[in-house]
Amino acid sequence: QVQLVESGGGLVQAGGSLRLSCAASGGTFIRYTMGWFRQAPGKEREFVAAVSWSGGNTNYADSVKGRFTISRDNAKNMVYLQMNRLKPEDTAVYYCAADRRIALTPWASAYDYWGQGTQVTVSS
């Protein structure tokens, strides 16, 4: 059983930056593909980014490519999401998730463990 705790959310103006962190415990962190998802009010949860166990492979949603960067530190059991050039449409609750499979899947149903989420609000 893996526990995930997100942090780093907040209120930021459009064009600004935030760095989200996700602390993992209770499992062998290096065995998991890690992903970030987000959910805005009234919308379905959507894929943001994923990173392989080694950190060498990544996958991004088209809406965040070139602005967001996912990374991980296996020594610290941490995964990060650096968000730059934020837009009001990035406003959502952001969730960290862990997948026991190798594929960097964008489907939420494929992920086995989830954090509680952290709110990101981007003002215009």
Side-chain angles (χ1 to χ4, degrees):
Q1 190 78 4
V2 176
Q3 292 80 46
L4 303 172
V5 179
E6 304 94 336
S7 61
L11 174 64
V12 64
Q13 289 188 334
S17 298
L18 279 176
R19 188 196 196 203
L20 304 184
S21 299
C22 174
S25 62
T28 307
F29 180 68
I30 198 170
R31 292 182 179 176
Y32 295 90
T33 293
M34 299 299 297
W36 286 97
F37 288 76
R38 67 187 182 186
Q39 189 166 17
K43 295 187 177 181
E44 293 188 354
R45 192 167 297 190
E46 66 172 359
F47 172 73
V48 176
V51 61
S52 63
W53 67 271
S54 68
N57 292 302
T58 56
N59 186 21
Y60 294 94
D62 288 342
S63 59
V64 307
K65 279 182 182 176
R67 300 189 298 122
F68 291 10
T69 303
I70 188 171
S71 62
R72 65 190 294 165
D73 185 337
N74 288 335
K76 296 181 179 179
N77 287 5
M78 296 290 295
V79 62
Y80 306 99
L81 186 68
Q82 178 65 45
M83 306 186 294
N84 299 327
R85 291 185 281 134
L86 283 160
K87 304 175 181 180
E89 51 263 44
D90 294 318
T91 295
V93 176
Y94 283 71
Y95 298 90
C96 175
D99 182 3
R100 288 173 289 185
R101 284 158 287 203
I102 297 174
L104 302 180
T105 178
W107 309 115
S109 59
Y111 287 75
D112 303 291
Y113 303 104
W114 292 84
Q116 293 300 308
T118 184
Q119 176 71 47
V120 171
T121 303
V122 184
S123 63
S124 58

